[in-house]
Amino acid sequence: MEYRPQEIERKWQDRWTRTRAFEVTEDGSRPKFYCLEMFAYPSGHAHVGHVRNYIIGDIMARTMRMRGYNVLHPFGWDAFGLPAENAAIQNNVHPETWTLENIAHMKGQLQRLGISYAWEREVATCLPEYYHWNQWLFTRMFRRGLANRKRSNVNWCEKCQTVLANEQVVDGGCWRCGTPVIMRELEQWFLRITAYADELVDALGHMDTWPEKVLTMQRNWIGRSEGARVHFPIVGASDAIEVFTTRIDTIYGATFVLVAPEHPLVERFAAESDDPAAFRASVARFRAQDRTARLTGEVEKEGFDAGRAAMNPFTNTPVPIWVANFVLVEYGTGAVMGVPAHDQRDFEFASKYGLPIPRVVQPDEDDKSAGSTPFDGEGTLVHSGPYSGLFSADARKRMTEDVENRGIGRGAVQYRLKDWGISRQRYWGTPIPIVHCVDHGLVPVPDDQLPVVLPKVVEFTGRGDSPLAHVPEFVNTVCPTCGKPAKRETDTMDTFVDSSWYFYRFCDPKNETMPFDPATVAYWGPVDFYSGGVEHAILHLIYSRFFSRVFRDLGLVTIDEPFTRLLTQGMVLKDGAVMSKSKGNVVDPDDMTKTFGADALRLYVMFVAPPEKEVEWSDAGLEGSFRFLGRVWRLVDHLIPSLPAVDGGLGNPSALRLAVLNESERALRRKTHTTIRKVTQDISPRMHLNTAISALMELVNDMYAFCDRLGIRPTGRDDQPPPVIYRPETGAVLREAIESLVLMLAPFTPHLSEELWTRLRPETAREAADGSPSGVVAAGWPVVDEDAARAEEIEVPVQVNGKLRARITLDAEASEADIQATALAAPHVKPHLAGQDVVKVVVANRRLVNIVVRKKAG
C-alpha cells in the first residue's frame, strides 16, 4: 500500500472524535497527569509558530497515556481583548462574531493536526459561563480588601483609549498600535498582588522544575529589597523628597538626588523653572522611552538638573536634584540618592555630567576590588562622621535606628512589584461587578445577580471612554443595598484576569454553582506539565501564582503553586524573523498538512531543534520528515505479511530472551532496547524530543540494514513479493523491533502509528464497547529489556601521554584490571612503551585509557 497521510489522518481523527478517545474523568485507581499548553488567543488563523507549543504538549500527553496515566489534556480560548474590539472598529463586525468565527477556524486547524484534546472541556473566556466566575472571584477579593479603587498615574494610549500595563509599553509606544504612551491620573481598580509578594518570591527557591531564566525574571520583577526610606528636605521649601536606599551606609557619599520623570514633584519643578516648556519636553522624552529598558538600565543613562536642591540629612550639605530616565516611579519612592563611588549606574551618571564622586566605604586591603571605582561591596566606613570605622552592616543598622529616632525616615522592605491595575476602558472584557451608589458608595453585585452580562448593542468608534458608558440600559441600575437608582461600573477587567485561573476551570468546566469543585481540582491539580512562551514569565505566570493563593485562602484549593513543571518553548522563525502576519512570513499548518500530512509536520517541528530553542523554518526539512515516514511505512507494510504471529512462542519478548540468536539478530535486538531506553528518557524527564527522534531514525536505518543482509529490500513497489523469513528467531526479532518503533513514534506521529498498529495487531482495530482504550494506548509504552540492551563488547581508546595510539575491544563485563592489562599489551601501544617507565595507567569510566610514561633514567 502507498503511504497516503491525508486519508489515514482523516480516518483516525474521525474515530477519535466518535469514540471520545481523549475525554477523561477522575479515577483514583490510576496516577493522574495534567498536561496543559497556554491557551490560544483566537486571532483568526494559527500558524506553525503557534502550533509548535501545542504539539509539544500533545507528545507529553500521548506518551503518558501509553504509560498508564489518567491524562487530562484540555484546550480553550483566551477570547477577550483589544484586537477583537479593533477588528469591530475596522470591519464593522461585532467582537463576539469575529471571535467565535476565529475560534471555529482555529479549532479546526488543531483538530487536523491530531492534537489529543479533551474538547468536551473547551472553554472560551468571552462567554458568560466563564466570566461569571471572574466576577464571583472579584466580589470576594473586594470584600477581603484585595480589590480596591484608587487614583493612580497610568500608561495611556490615546488611539486605543485604554490603560496599558508597564509590560504593554514597547519602545515608548502601545504594544498594539505603536502610538506614543502618555501618563494620566485616573480612578482605577487594582488587585493587591503585593499582599502576597513575600510568598511569591520565597517560593521561587523551591521551584527547581522551572527554567532558571523564568525564576530570575520573576525574582527581578518582584524585586524585594531591604533598606531604609530617608527624607531629603527640599532647600527653600517646607517639604522633602523621600528616597529609598538599600545602602544607607553610603549616605555620606550621596552627592545628588535623582527623581523619576513621573515623580509627582516634577511638574512643580517644571512650573518653577526658567523654561517650563523645555523642561516638560525633556520629561516627556524620558517618559516615552521603553520602560523595561529603563528598568534594566539598557537605555543610555540621561538626566538634567531640575534647578532645585535637597539637603543631605547626614552631611547637612545641599545636593542638586536631577531628573533621570533610569529611575522609575513604580520602584521605591520614585527617588534615589546618587552615590557614584559605590553604585555602577550612579558612577556612570556622575562621570557623564561631572558630579562629585567621593568614596566613603573602604574595602579590606586584600580585597581585589580595593582600587576600583565604583566599589559596591561591603567594607569599613570612612569620611562618614561618627560612623567612620564601622563595618557596612553595623553602620546600616545604626544609621537606620538613627533616622527613625530623628524622625527623618524608617527601615523598610521595598518591592518593585506593584498592585495590579486591572481597569480597562474598553468593551470586550469582563464587566467589573460593582455598582456606584450615592448613599452606599461602591457596592458589589450579589451572587444571585451574576453574571453581569455584556450588552450586545454597542457602538465602536475607538474614541472616548469605555463603550459601555454609552449604553444606558447597562449603566442605569439600582443599588443592591438600598434599591435606589445607581450606576454600574463601566470599566472592564484586564484580560490577564481571564488567564489567571482557567487551568482550574478545565478541571470542572460545566459547574454552574461555583468556579470549580474543590474535590475535583484536588484530584487533577496541580498542572504537571505546562508549556508556553517565555514572554509570559512576568505577567501571566506571576498572576496565576497570585490567583492560586487567593483560591487557597478562599478554601477552594489546597496547593500554592498551580504548575509543577514549566517548559518555555522557542519561537519559530522564517527568513530570520519570528513568524507574524505583519511581517508576512507565516506558514499555515493547513497548507503543510495538505501536501505532507499532519504527522510529517508534527515530526519536523520537533526534530529540527530542542523544544526550548528557536527554530528556523525550512520546507526542505519538512520534506525530509515526510520521506522518513515513507520509509517507515514501506518497511512495515512490506514485512507485515511475513512476520510471525503474536502467540506464546517467539512473539513473546520473554521467550526471545531465551532464544538462541545469531550475531545480527542480537545486534538488532540490542538496538531496539537501547532505543527504547533513550527515547523514554528523552521524552521525560529530559524533554530532548529532537534527540528522541534521531534515535528512532537510527533504529530505522539499522532495521533496513538488517533486512538488506537478509536480501529484503522494501521499495514500496506493488509487484514486489513479500519476503520469506525462514528463521523464526529472525521474524520474532523483526516484529519486536517494528512494534517498538511504531509505539515509540505514536506520540510524534499518532495517525501513522495507529494505522500501522492495527495492521500489526488486527485485533486492536475493534472499538471497545465500553469506551476503554484501544490501539497504541491499550498496547502501552514499550518496556526496555536491560539484558538485551547491554552491550556485549566495548571499544576503548588508548592514549600514551595524551596521544591516541590504539583502540581496544573487550567484553562489556571486563574489569578495570582487564582493561588496563589489555591496553598495555596492545600491539600499537607497546612500541611507545619501549625504553619508558610507566608512571601510571588511568582508566576513565571504562571509556578511555591514558598511559603516562617518562623516559627511563640513564
Side-chain angles (χ1 to χ4, degrees):
M1 292 177 62
E2 181 184 351
Y3 176 44
R4 299 185 178 93
Q6 291 78 9
E7 294 178 14
I8 294 170
E9 288 162 8
R10 280 196 299 272
K11 167 187 171 181
W12 284 101
Q13 289 163 17
D14 289 345
R15 174 166 170 171
W16 292 331
T17 300
R18 184 175 65 253
T19 61
R20 304 175 65 248
F22 311 121
E23 306 301 335
V24 291
T25 57
E26 298 74 50
D27 180 357
S29 67
R30 290 191 291 158
K32 67 90 182 179
F33 187 80
Y34 188 174
C35 181
L36 188 64
E37 303 89 63
M38 294 181 186
F39 62 179
Y41 183 79
S43 57
H45 293 255
H47 58 64
V48 168
H50 296 137
V51 303
R52 185 187 187 211
N53 181 39
Y54 310 141
I55 295 170
I56 291 170
D58 195 45
I59 289 167
M60 291 297 297
R62 288 180 177 275
T63 301
M64 299 309 283
R65 282 194 198 96
M66 293 177 69
R67 292 186 184 179
Y69 283 77
N70 191 27
V71 175
L72 173 60
H73 189 209
F75 198 73
W77 310 95
D78 193 9
F80 272 140
L82 193 56
E85 201 158 328
N86 287 343
I89 296 167
Q90 295 164 9
N91 304 317
N92 195 30
V93 59
H94 195 276
E96 183 178 55
T97 303
W98 184 84
T99 300
L100 296 181
E101 287 176 352
N102 289 346
I103 286 175
H105 181 86
M106 293 176 70
K107 181 176 179 179
Q109 288 182 294
L110 298 181
Q111 290 173 323
R112 288 186 288 275
L113 286 169
I115 298 178
S116 61
Y117 287 134
W119 282 112
E120 292 178 14
R121 293 173 180 263
E122 178 184 14
V123 301
T125 60
C126 65
L127 299 179
E129 52 263 37
Y130 184 88
Y131 68 73
H132 175 168
W133 305 108
N134 286 346
Q135 297 173 343
W136 181 93
L137 179 61
F138 181 92
T139 62
R140 275 129 184 95
M141 295 177 76
F142 178 79
R143 294 187 182 104
R144 286 172 168 253
L146 292 174
N148 65 313
R149 184 173 167 87
K150 60 185 178 182
R151 295 195 68 81
S152 173
N153 283 318
V154 295
N155 303 306
W156 179 262
C157 174
E158 282 289 343
K159 182 175 180 179
C160 298
Q161 289 288 296
T162 191
V163 173
L164 301 175
N166 291 336
E167 300 80 11
Q168 295 169 325
V169 181
V170 179
D171 295 327
C174 172
W175 69 333
R176 294 296 187 194
C177 66
T179 300
V181 171
I182 62 174
M183 298 297 295
R184 288 183 61 176
E185 187 176 65
L186 295 175
E187 284 277 351
Q188 297 287 289
W189 284 98
F190 290 84
L191 300 183
R192 287 190 55 232
I193 189 172
T194 53
Y196 293 86
D198 282 326
E199 266 200 68
L200 291 171
V201 73
D202 289 342
L204 296 174
H206 308 290
M207 297 165 63
D208 54 2
T209 52
W210 279 38
E212 187 57 40
K213 178 180 181 180
V214 174
L215 299 178
T216 299
M217 292 171 72
Q218 291 210 1
R219 284 191 189 97
N220 291 342
W221 192 253
I222 297 169
R224 181 170 64 192
S225 302
E226 295 185 10
R229 289 178 175 241
V230 184
H231 300 149
F232 279 62
I234 300 172
V235 175
S238 59
D239 53 351
I241 293 178
E242 185 180 53
V243 306
F244 173 76
T245 177
T246 60
R247 292 295 304 272
I248 193 174
D249 55 310
T250 65
I251 197 167
Y252 277 82
T255 56
F256 50 92
V257 169
L258 301 175
V259 296
E262 298 84 4
H263 195 285
L265 287 171
V266 165
E267 176 54 33
R268 188 176 104 191
F269 294 159
E272 296 171 351
S273 69
D274 295 334
D275 190 346
F279 193 113
R280 293 188 177 103
S282 297
V283 169
R285 185 171 65 83
F286 288 174
R287 289 178 175 178
Q289 292 174 339
D290 182 83
R291 299 180 78 80
T292 302
R294 287 174 58 195
L295 173 66
T296 59
E298 294 173 4
V299 294
E300 179 186 355
K301 295 168 184 59
E302 296 182 86
F304 63 90
D305 193 333
R308 300 298 299 268
M311 288 293 268
N312 183 324
F314 278 74
T315 64
N316 291 318
T317 57
V319 295
I321 301 170
W322 285 62
V323 180
N325 64 340
F326 60 92
V327 181
L328 295 182
V329 73
E330 298 91 346
Y331 182 59
T333 64
V336 299
M337 62 183 196
V339 187
H342 303 290
D343 180 272
Q344 181 64 40
R345 294 198 308 178
D346 294 348
F347 175 76
E348 294 172 10
F349 190 84
S351 299
K352 181 174 183 176
Y353 293 108
L355 297 167
I357 309 176
R359 173 173 283 197
V360 294
V361 177
Q362 189 66 36
D364 296 336
E365 292 182 1
D366 59 351
D367 192 324
K368 293 181 180 179
S369 61
S372 65
T373 297
F375 169 66
D376 59 3
E378 303 276 291
T380 302
L381 269 62
V382 295
H383 311 303
S384 297
Y387 308 98
S388 294
L390 292 177
F391 191 70
S392 292
D394 298 326
R396 284 196 292 274
K397 185 175 184 295
R398 267 189 55 183
M399 288 176 160
T400 302
E401 291 173 351
D402 288 351
V403 296
E404 291 177 348
N405 291 334
R406 293 169 58 189
I408 60 169
R410 58 186 173 84
V413 177
Q414 190 66 58
Y415 300 90
R416 180 173 287 116
L417 181 71
K418 296 299 177 184
D419 285 337
W420 174 12
I422 64 163
S423 289
R424 298 296 180 265
Q425 290 68 43
R426 55 188 182 224
Y427 164 76
W428 196 233
T430 299
I432 294 176
I434 291 291
V435 171
H436 297 260
C437 175
V438 174
D439 294 333
H440 293 93
L442 301 174
V443 182
V445 175
D447 287 355
D448 60 5
Q449 294 179 28
L450 296 178
V452 177
V453 178
L454 279 171
K456 296 288 186 182
V457 181
V458 178
E459 181 182 2
F460 300 98
T461 66
R463 303 285 188 272
D465 54 6
S466 170
L468 292 177
H470 303 283
V471 183
E473 58 268 34
F474 176 83
V475 175
N476 296 319
T477 185
V478 296
C479 173
T481 300
C482 65
K484 293 180 180 178
K487 303 288 185 182
R488 288 195 190 279
E489 173 64 58
T490 58
D491 283 358
T492 54
M493 297 185 195
D494 181 5
T495 56
F496 279 105
V497 171
D498 308 326
S499 59
S500 293
W501 69 281
Y502 75 105
F503 38 88
Y504 289 139
R505 183 66 177 175
F506 274 142
C507 299
D508 191 17
K510 308 300 182 185
N511 198 318
E512 296 181 355
T513 60
M514 58 195 310
F516 49 81
D517 175 40
T520 304
V521 168
Y523 173 81
W524 288 115
V527 176
D528 296 283
F529 179 81
Y530 194 45
S531 61
V534 73
E535 67 272 16
H536 297 295
I538 55 174
L539 286 174
H540 163 61
L541 289 173
I542 285 183
Y543 295 156
S544 297
R545 297 178 62 221
F546 163 50
F547 266 48
S548 287
R549 286 162 169 80
V550 173
F551 278 121
R552 178 202 65 195
D553 292 347
L554 290 172
L556 291 178
V557 302
T558 58
I559 55 177
D560 296 338
E561 296 297 336
F563 314 120
T564 299
R565 184 177 182 187
L566 175 70
L567 173 77
T568 52
Q569 93 283 355
M571 308 293 281
V572 179
L573 313 180
K574 190 169 187 292
D575 304 324
V578 174
M579 285 189 185
S580 70
K581 286 182 180 180
S582 62
K583 295 184 176 69
N585 66 343
V586 299
V587 175
D588 191 323
D590 283 348
D591 294 339
M592 299 299 103
T593 57
K594 287 175 184 175
T595 305
F596 300 105
D599 282 342
L601 176 59
R602 291 169 61 109
L603 190 75
Y604 169 63
V605 295
M606 294 298 99
F607 174 63
V608 69
E612 70 278 6
K613 301 295 184 183
E614 290 183 340
V615 172
E616 180 65 42
W617 177 261
S618 164
D619 290 347
L622 178 56
E623 291 175 16
S625 293
F626 176 73
R627 288 195 299 270
F628 168 72
L629 296 184
R631 292 189 78 212
V632 172
W633 178 269
R634 289 191 297 275
L635 178 69
V636 180
D637 179 68
H638 189 64
L639 290 174
I640 280 175
S642 306
L643 294 177
V646 180
D647 53 23
L650 289 177
N652 187 319
S654 61
L656 256 180
R657 204 175 295 134
L658 301 174
V660 179
L661 306 182
N662 61 35
E663 182 179 348
S664 180
E665 292 161 352
R666 286 199 307 273
L668 179 57
R669 190 154 196 266
R670 184 164 55 249
K671 184 65 173 180
T672 298
H673 285 275
T674 56
T675 304
I676 294 172
R677 182 169 57 200
K678 177 170 177 53
V679 172
T680 302
Q681 293 174 346
D682 278 358
I683 293 179
S684 181
R686 292 175 181 164
M687 282 303 297
H688 295 171
L689 303 183
N690 57 318
T691 58
I693 294 171
S694 295
L696 293 171
M697 290 178 171
E698 289 180 13
L699 176 60
V700 170
N701 289 339
D702 281 17
M703 292 167 69
Y704 265 88
F706 182 85
C707 290
D708 192 58
R709 286 191 289 273
L710 298 173
I712 301 171
R713 294 175 178 83
T715 64
R717 295 198 310 268
D718 291 339
D719 60 349
Q720 184 181 20
V724 178
I725 301 174
Y726 296 102
R727 183 174 158 80
E729 290 83 359
T730 300
V733 168
L734 268 173
R735 173 174 278 280
E736 182 185 47
I738 287 172
E739 290 191 351
S740 299
L741 170 69
V742 170
L743 292 174
M744 287 186 287
L745 273 172
F748 301 95
T749 58
H751 313 86
L752 171 70
S753 294
E754 290 281 15
E755 183 69 19
L756 291 177
W757 188 255
T758 58
R759 296 183 64 196
L760 285 162
R761 301 284 189 108
E763 71 277 8
T764 66
R766 294 188 298 273
E767 297 178 13
D770 62 356
S772 59
S774 60
V776 297
V777 174
W781 190 256
V783 178
V784 62
D785 182 336
E786 292 294 347
D787 290 334
R790 188 175 296 113
E792 296 179 347
E793 292 182 334
I794 57 174
E795 183 181 74
V796 181
V798 181
Q799 297 177 345
V800 178
N801 285 351
K803 292 185 178 181
L804 182 65
R805 298 302 186 187
R807 294 180 183 274
I808 56 175
T809 302
L810 307 99
D811 186 276
E813 303 299 326
S815 67
E816 190 169 304
D818 291 336
I819 296 172
Q820 180 175 324
T822 305
L824 290 170
H828 293 289
V829 172
K830 292 176 72 174
H832 299 283
L833 305 182
Q836 307 283 335
D837 284 326
V838 177
V839 178
K840 61 180 176 179
V841 181
V842 179
V843 180
N845 295 325
R846 298 166 53 83
R847 295 184 177 182
L848 174 70
V849 178
N850 188 29
I851 303 171
V852 180
V853 300
R854 65 185 174 197
K855 194 171 183 179
K856 288 185 177 180

